[in-house]
Amino acid sequence: MSATEKPAATAEEVEAAWNDNKLAQVLYHDWEASTYDEKWSISYDERCVDYARDRFTAVAGTDGWPYGKSLEIGAGTGFFTLNLKLAGVLDEAHVTDLSPGMVEAAKKNAKTLGFAVEGKVADAEKLPYEDDTFDLVIGHAVIHHIPDVELAFREMLRVLKPGGRFVICGEPTRYGDFVARRLSRLTWWATTNVTKLPALTHWRRPQEELDESSRAAALEAVVDLHTFDPDTLARMASRAGAVEVSTVTEELLAAWLGWPIRTFEAAVPEQKLGFGWRMFAYKSWLQLSKVDKVLSSIVPDELYYNVSITGQAPRRQ
């Protein structure tokens, strides 16, 4: 069995993980590694290239492209790094993750795309690299998993060259996460109960798979440690030593649609949802994202679901 084909966690392992967060992080993400791209509709084509580039540009602009040497913390299966490389944002790519399964998945995806990326199993609170190594440090939906976020910022700044930039995207805000989780729970309850009806049982996943998804959801609650207020997050990065810190928030209506869609997809058999459904979901998200940008001038930033942050390592005098 390869590193990307981990068996499902047992109920006993999930119970143990409640008392050991690092174990929970490895267990959950190793478990998810082989199906993560499918679960989150991750691809390495125009759709996700555009998404990754737009998230990066929204907070950090387009200056400095391509960055010479980049590091991703909590890279997962390589979504952010590989799509940013395809977009021309970065050149030499290195990826890290606490989960061995995720590192292997990222390297496998890179090889499929014809890239050579370096990958290491690493804790973002103690990166195994020398000072002043990278031009860019990136992450996507990662720092909410890290126990000591300020320490992680210090590590990013340590391994950055003077004037180097970090860009962390897709982190949950407090209010956005509150709404998203409740929409997801309601969707899961409704879908799993409606598909018990005799006329809709062919839309119901086998109970064993539903139980496994419930265990995954239980572990997800363990590994998701933080939500963020944008201003508080910016101050945290500044305390760690970053300069030129700024944040942006995205997804309001788009998140209210996106989370129920993802939950529905997880609750029904995969073969029931084809390409047409995927395109409907994606185009609907795009249209609502456009509305969200218009609303951003009147809606407080903390109400949006995602917050992204950037900053730079101080230049030496």
Side-chain angles (χ1 to χ4, degrees), residues 78-118:
F79 158 75
F80 208 36
T81 285
L82 299 183
N83 279 303
L84 288 179
K85 186 170 176 63
L86 289 168
V89 177
L90 51 87
D91 186 13
E92 180 184 336
H94 296 249
V95 298
T96 63
D97 201 286
L98 194 62
S99 158
M102 286 294 191
V103 173
E104 288 303 312
K107 291 165 67 175
K108 181 179 178 181
N109 283 337
K111 185 176 180 180
T112 299
L113 293 168
F115 299 154
V117 302
E118 296 293 326

Side-chain angles (χ1 to χ4, degrees), residues 118-138:
E118 296 293 326
K120 289 186 179 182
V121 176
D123 188 336
E125 295 177 356
K126 192 176 182 181
L127 295 170
Y129 299 98
E130 299 293 328
D131 297 359
D132 306 344
T133 299
F134 298 98
D135 301 291
L136 175 70
V137 174
I138 60 175

